[in-house]
Every structure is written in C-alpha cells, then in structure tokens.
Amino acid sequence: MSNQSSFIFFILWVCLAVGDQFLHDITGHISIANDPNWISHTYVSAGFGQYYGYVQQNGSFSIPNVKPGSYIVSVHNPNYLIPPIRVEISSKAGGKVRARKVDFVQPNEVMLVKYPLLFRINEKTDFFEKRETWHITDIFKSPMVPMLILPVFFMLLLPKIKDMQDPETKKELEEASKMMSNPQMPDMSDMLASFFGGTKKPKKSSKSRR
C-alpha cells in the first residue's frame, strides 16, 4: 500500500515538474512622466485578474507563472487610463510570445506591438469635465436673442422709413396694410396694381349670363 501511495506522489510530482516547464513570465516596462509617486499606486494584471504582477522601482514589471494562452494585460492606476495590450503565449514553438493592440470594435484586426511590453503615459487622464463658466457674451450666443431683438428693431425702424417717404407712397403702404388685414383677400394682381399706381381691374359680376 505504501508503494502505491509513493508511486502516486511520484507521478504527481513529475506532472507538476513538467507543467512548470510550460509556464512563462509576461514582462514589460511602464513609463509615466511628471509623476514620481505613480509606482506605489500601480499594479499589473493579466486575464482580468487571473494573474498579477507589481512594478519595480525602475518601471519594469513581471507577471510570473503564466500558462500558454491569450491574455489581456492591463495596467491599473487610479489617476491614469492606460490602454491594455493582448499577449498571446504559444504552447508550441518554445512558448513564443506575441503582443498586439486591443481593439474592442474590430477584434479580428491585428496590430502587433513590440515585446517586452511598453506602456508610455505622458499626462493624467481627466475623468471629469471642467465646469463651464458664465460670460456676458453667452447672452448673444443664445438663439432667442435675434428673435427678441429683430421685432423691436423693425418696430422702431419702420415708422421712420414711413416718415421719410412721400405722402403718396405712404398712402399706398397704408392701403396695402389694410388690404392685408382684410379677411377677404383680393387678387395678387389687383394688390400689385394698386401698389404701383395702376388701375384696378374691374371685377367680374358674380351673376353669369344665362
């Protein structure tokens, strides 16, 4: 019985030893400018938290003991929004590693990047929009301002235009305005004829000849 148990433990040990030979490390470097304290708030994950790694003082990182497969490597920092990179570790060809950009819109599009990975960030991410401030010029940008100003402008300008005209033209404009206010609108030709000083066309009798 003891021989069987020792044999089983030996088989398990061999399997674990052989399995460890196919584990790989995902390595890379992170560079964030103008922020000396970013390392203490940053860590790296692969496979949505399946594997973790931490950043060294020189900016390099390593995610150890990663099995062959395809993983999304993400850099987590509360002040920066860093695009992830997909890493594919082949189970053949000596564990060849290939890295490419992550495109959630077109996942089949392949854009290779260099390996070991390199994450370079130049500025902080603005997670909130800047509050807008009010200026006096914002009043004139409103679309309601022309709708309010133009009627007042015409109310003040039209009387002056009428005063500058001769009496005959002024009388014709008044007649035209009366005709427009009349619910029984005349013909357009009659209105134009009266406006330009022509004679009105005689209206046809409502009674037709029998």
Side-chain angles (χ1 to χ4, degrees):
M1 185 70 179
S2 59
N3 293 332
Q4 293 179 354
S5 59
S6 60
F7 179 75
I8 293 173
F9 283 117
F10 176 75
I11 295 298
L12 293 175
W13 179 81
V14 170
C15 292
L16 292 175
V18 173
D20 291 339
Q21 293 179 0
F22 295 101
L23 298 179
H24 304 274
D25 296 344
I26 298 176
T27 59
H29 189 273
I30 304 172
S31 176
I32 297 179
N34 302 324
D35 189 354
N37 300 320
W38 68 270
I39 295 177
S40 59
H41 302 92
T42 305
Y43 68 94
V44 188
S45 69
F48 300 103
Q50 187 176 358
Y51 302 96
Y52 287 95
Y54 293 91
V55 186
Q56 305 298 324
Q57 291 298 325
N58 59 356
S60 62
F61 68 89
S62 177
I63 304 176
N65 302 327
V66 180
K67 296 180 180 180
S70 180
Y71 304 95
I72 293 179
V73 178
S74 305
V75 179
H76 304 273
N77 188 289
N79 299 321
Y80 300 92
L81 189 62
I82 304 172
I85 296 177
R86 180 177 291 277
V87 174
E88 297 173 349
I89 303 174
S90 176
S91 58
K92 301 177 182 179
K96 184 179 179 180
V97 180
R98 186 180 72 165
R100 60 186 178 94
K101 290 184 178 181
V102 177
D103 192 346
F104 294 104
V105 179
Q106 297 178 349
N108 295 326
E109 184 177 356
V110 178
M111 297 180 64
L112 298 178
V113 297
K114 292 183 178 181
Y115 184 86
L117 305 178
L118 177 60
F119 296 91
R120 191 185 300 276
I121 309 300
N122 296 323
E123 59 184 8
K124 286 187 176 182
T125 303
D126 295 330
F127 294 98
F128 301 96
E129 293 185 359
K130 194 174 182 180
R131 179 175 292 181
E132 296 182 358
T133 57
W134 185 82
H135 299 282
I136 190 65
T137 56
D138 294 340
I139 298 177
F140 301 99
K141 295 179 182 179
S142 175
M144 297 298 295
V145 172
M147 298 176 63
L148 296 175
I149 293 178
L150 288 178
V152 177
F153 175 76
F154 286 118
M155 288 175 63
L156 298 176
L157 187 64
L158 285 178
K160 294 182 179 181
I161 294 176
K162 288 182 179 180
D163 294 338
M164 292 173 62
Q165 296 172 349
D166 55 334
E168 294 181 359
T169 307
K170 184 177 180 181
K171 185 177 180 181
E172 291 177 357
L173 288 174
E174 290 178 354
E175 291 179 356
S177 62
K178 289 180 181 179
M179 293 170 64
M180 293 292 292
S181 61
N182 189 4
Q184 295 179 355
M185 293 294 294
D187 294 335
M188 185 62 67
S189 60
D190 295 338
M191 186 176 67
L192 292 175
S194 63
F195 183 78
F196 291 104
T199 57
K200 294 183 179 181
K201 293 181 180 180
K203 295 183 178 180
K204 295 181 180 181
S205 176
S206 60
K207 295 181 180 179
S208 59
R209 295 179 179 180
R210 295 181 181 177

